[in-house]
Amino acid sequence: MSSAAMPAASSLRPVFRFAPSPNGRLHLGHVRSALLNAEAARAAGGRFLLRIEDIDPARCRPDYEVMIFDDLAWLGLDWERPVRRQSEHMADYGEALARLEAMGLVYPSFETRAEIARAGADRPDHPKDPDGAPVFPFARADMSAAERYRRRAAGEPFALRLDMAAALAQIGRPLFWQEEGEGRLAVDASLWGDVVLARKEAPTSYHLSVVVDDALQGVTHVIRGTDLKAATAIHRVLQQLLGLPAPVYRHHPLILDADGRKLAKSRGSPTIADLRAAGVAPEEVRRRALEGLPLAPNARRESGTTP
Ligand code: GLU
């Protein structure tokens, strides 16, 4: 009776994903993440998913999505179909947000980005979040719940924030995540303050949708750039609140330009399209994307000579 055994067997296969945002052409940094995930899936006999993170209609474009598929196929990668496109699943993120709101952990804030920046800048010792932005410098208690309700109902622009202190109190115990090669890392989400989970004009955020999707897609392993490592604390808090499983994480070093800054289109970093146009072969692009990487945590163990 293999039919009963099949789902259990397939659910044991590790699931990896590459999750680009279609807001520009891919560069070598994206290729590094894509290759590491695809290779880890292959080595583990697992599945490799591609997810299009296109929740921001102002920055994401369907033609970039097509070019992502094209660049990845040119590199020799293959992924499972259908591809999950986040813009088609807003109801899933809305449902998660509603649950957090029902738990009393979300509140609308009405300060503009300029007001927040000014309040942070006015106090030079004001704490910065791990990304270097001022932690939200106002408090939920600054305004009554009734006033917040009234202003939201009146149609004012708002950001829905997670009340981080209340969330951590509700969880009531320390959280950790498993970082491959480093072990169990303690979560310090309070460094982030009351992060934005949605806005009036944007029904979800990166943090919320990534956590919901990793769970819905059964992702067991997340390999991504080290620029997202600190945000894993937020993701663990959301997973815990929503009762979602935590994947194993691995944050890889970024590829830096000659000035030591991370690659970016705005700084003229070459895209894969540029390299293709210059006649660079796919094997060479793959080599450059992985160049200088420390050995993978697992490979390090295996690299010793056998006695
Ligand atoms: N969409 C994110 C990016 O392009 C990656 C998200 C993730 O891997 O968690 O940077």
Side-chain angles (χ1 to χ4, degrees):
M1 279 300 291
S2 60
S3 60
M6 278 299 283
S10 67
S11 69
L12 290 176
R13 290 178 69 198
V15 181
F16 295 78
R17 74 350 180 239
F18 172 54
S21 294
N23 54 18
R25 300 293 310 244
L26 298 183
H27 54 59
L28 282 175
H30 297 109
V31 174
R32 174 172 282 192
S33 287
L35 289 178
L36 289 175
N37 278 290
E39 171 51 25
R42 194 202 55 76
R47 299 166 54 203
F48 176 55
L49 313 181
L50 178 60
R51 183 168 74 223
I52 296 295
E53 302 211 322
D54 60 346
I55 55 172
D56 183 354
R59 297 181 64 224
C60 296
R61 292 186 356 208
D63 52 332
Y64 283 133
E65 180 185 311
V66 173
M67 292 185 262
I68 288 172
F69 296 151
D70 188 58
D71 281 342
L72 294 177
W74 178 80
L75 284 162
L77 290 177
D78 198 11
W79 54 90
E80 279 187 21
R81 274 71 165 179
V83 168
R84 184 172 172 95
R85 194 178 287 121
Q86 289 189 323
S87 59
E88 294 170 352
H89 299 278
M90 290 299 182
D92 290 334
Y93 317 129
E95 196 248 332
L97 187 62
R99 284 175 53 203
L100 297 170
E101 285 204 78
M103 293 162 83
L105 298 176
V106 174
Y107 67 93
S109 69
F110 302 91
E111 294 82 4
T112 63
R113 287 172 209 251
E115 282 167 343
I116 294 169
R118 210 176 315 122
D122 284 350
R123 296 175 241 156
D125 55 346
H126 184 77
K128 302 244 192 314
D129 72 22
D131 278 350
V135 170
F136 182 58
F138 304 99
R140 183 178 191 174
D142 291 346
M143 192 186 290
S144 70
E147 178 67 358
R148 290 188 191 277
Y149 180 84
R150 188 194 64 73
R151 291 180 67 169
R152 182 177 181 178
E156 286 190 34
F158 62 84
L160 288 180
R161 293 181 180 274
L162 180 68
D163 182 340
M164 188 61 86
L168 295 176
Q170 202 165 112
I171 291 170
R173 65 176 181 83
L175 291 179
F176 299 88
W177 85 81
Q178 197 65 32
E179 176 79 18
E180 228 182 293
E182 292 181 48
R184 223 161 71 113
L185 299 187
V187 164
D188 192 356
S190 61
L191 297 175
W192 287 99
D194 293 355
V195 290
V196 174
L197 296 182
R199 294 183 189 276
K200 183 185 178 195
E201 71 287 0
T204 186
S205 60
Y206 160 64
H207 300 306
L208 188 62
S209 46
V210 81
V211 156
V212 168
D213 280 354
D214 282 341
L216 275 175
Q217 296 190 286
V219 170
T220 57
H221 292 73
V222 170
I223 305 178
R224 59 187 178 191
T226 196
D227 52 337
L228 292 170
K229 188 172 183 180
T232 308
I234 304 169
H235 301 169
R236 282 294 296 120
V237 167
L238 293 174
Q239 286 158 354
Q240 191 67 24
L241 293 171
L242 294 166
L244 305 176
V248 173
Y249 291 89
R250 173 171 154 206
H251 294 92
H252 62 74
L254 301 181
I255 301 179
L256 303 176
D257 65 16
D259 300 326
R261 292 173 309 183
K262 95 184 210 195
L263 302 184
K265 194 174 64 169
S266 55
R267 282 195 291 275
S269 307
T271 64
I272 303 311
D274 296 331
L275 300 173
R276 288 173 68 170
V280 182
E283 311 75 71
E284 174 60 11
V285 172
R286 290 202 298 266
R287 192 194 64 73
R288 287 190 202 174
L290 298 177
E291 195 174 29
L293 260 189
L295 289 174
N298 294 335
R300 197 163 41 211
R301 275 202 302 278
E302 288 153 19
S303 65
T305 45
T306 25

